Amino acid sequence: MNLIQAAYARHAVRHFDGKPINAKDKKELNALIKKLNAKSGLQMQLIINEPKAFGGLKAKICNFTGCVNYLAIVGPKTKDLGEKAGYYGEQVVLKAQ
């Protein structure tokens, strides 16, 4: 699947099946994250198997269930941090799709 196809195929998910990310996909996502971190100056990180990530009030407000994997995007506080986080984070999202 190329990036254009991935963009059309993606959709919002609020209820997750708990299926683990396989080793091959995890390796590919982490390789992309490493490359994008070097290019962007961000410190993105793939968090795997963290059941407390979306617990409590936030999970109820956002209606999340079963979410144990997520992408953390951290960077220096600059005026373009939001733009960078969105641009480079979306590349990871499309790869995951």
Side-chain angles (χ1 to χ4, degrees), residues 6 10 29 32 71 73 88-97:
R10 71 175 288 230
L29 287 169
L32 176 61
L71 178 66
I73 305 174
Y88 290 102
E90 186 64 17
Q91 290 185 48
V92 179
V93 168
L94 291 174
K95 177 68 172 176
Q97 178 63 42

Side-chain angles (χ1 to χ4, degrees), residues 3 6 19-38 43-49 69-73 88-97:
L3 288 179
K19 181 180 169 186
I21 297 175
N22 68 50
K24 178 182 175 275
D25 291 341
K26 182 179 172 183
K27 183 178 179 179
E28 287 181 14
L29 287 169
N30 279 320
L32 176 61
I33 290 167
K34 183 178 180 179
K35 176 183 163 187
L36 294 175
N37 281 343
Q43 298 172 1
M44 293 187 288
Q45 185 178 18
L46 182 62
I47 310 298
I48 303 287
N49 197 26
N69 306 309
Y70 62 95
L71 178 66
I73 305 174
Y88 290 102
E90 186 64 17
Q91 290 185 48
V92 179
V93 168
L94 291 174
K95 177 68 172 176
Q97 178 63 42

Side-chain angles (χ1 to χ4, degrees), residues 51-84:
K52 296 179 184 177
F54 291 93
L57 184 59
K58 186 168 193 156
K60 289 179 184 178
I61 291 170
C62 297
N63 200 23
F64 286 132
T65 59
C67 181
V68 297
N69 306 309
Y70 62 95
L71 178 66
I73 305 174
V74 180
K77 206 172 196 178
T78 60
K79 66 180 183 175
D80 65 343
L81 175 59
E83 183 179 343
K84 275 186 171 182

